[in-house]
Amino acid sequence: MGRKKKNSDDSKFEYSKTKSFENLEVVQQMALNRKGKDDEVNPDISLFLKAEELKGKLCGLYSDKDKPNLNINIMGSVKINGKELEILAGDEIITERQND
């Protein structure tokens, strides 16, 4: 059997965070400028807020998964005959957390 050629239309399906963010901004403007009866401006706040939430998720401001709580037991220092022992057991503990 011969190999099938890849479809050259793959470029149609390229999508990026930037493009998605721009589309959500357009949706927000449409929600704010929505007109109701008699051509009065009647913003759709729920649609605006939904787009804002999606933009935040896209930028990583919200997490869909709960971050696990880390319980760490730290053993105090041990001294024998005035000499402090350094105990190397388990994994290294990272005490600083990086800001997201």
Side-chain angles (χ1 to χ4, degrees):
M1 282 186 176
R3 289 185 151 193
K4 292 184 180 179
K5 291 184 179 180
K6 277 193 170 184
N7 194 354
S8 62
D9 292 336
D10 287 344
S11 61
K12 289 182 192 178
F13 301 109
E14 289 180 17
Y15 203 67
S16 67
K17 286 183 179 182
T18 304
K19 183 65 177 167
S20 181
F21 195 88
E22 290 169 358
N23 289 341
L24 289 168
E25 285 183 329
V26 169
V27 169
Q28 282 185 307
Q29 288 304 314
M30 290 170 64
L32 289 177
N33 297 324
R34 191 188 92 182
K35 293 188 178 184
K37 294 180 181 178
D38 302 325
D39 287 335
E40 293 179 16
V41 176
N42 187 12
D44 187 347
I45 301 301
S46 63
L47 181 59
F48 177 85
L49 291 175
K50 182 62 180 178
E52 188 68 20
E53 179 185 358
L54 291 172
K55 284 170 46 179
K57 283 183 180 181
L58 188 63
C59 293
L61 296 177
Y62 309 111
S63 176
D64 291 338
K65 297 178 182 175
D66 292 331
K67 293 182 180 178
N69 253 349
L70 298 176
N71 294 325
I72 301 172
N73 294 326
I74 300 175
M75 183 176 174
S77 63
V78 176
K79 291 185 180 180
I80 298 178
N81 295 331
K83 186 176 181 181
E84 189 171 328
L85 299 178
E86 184 178 336
I87 300 173
L88 300 174
D91 295 331
E92 287 290 322
I93 298 172
I94 300 171
T95 56
E96 293 181 15
R97 289 191 114 174
Q98 294 178 345
N99 292 336
D100 292 331

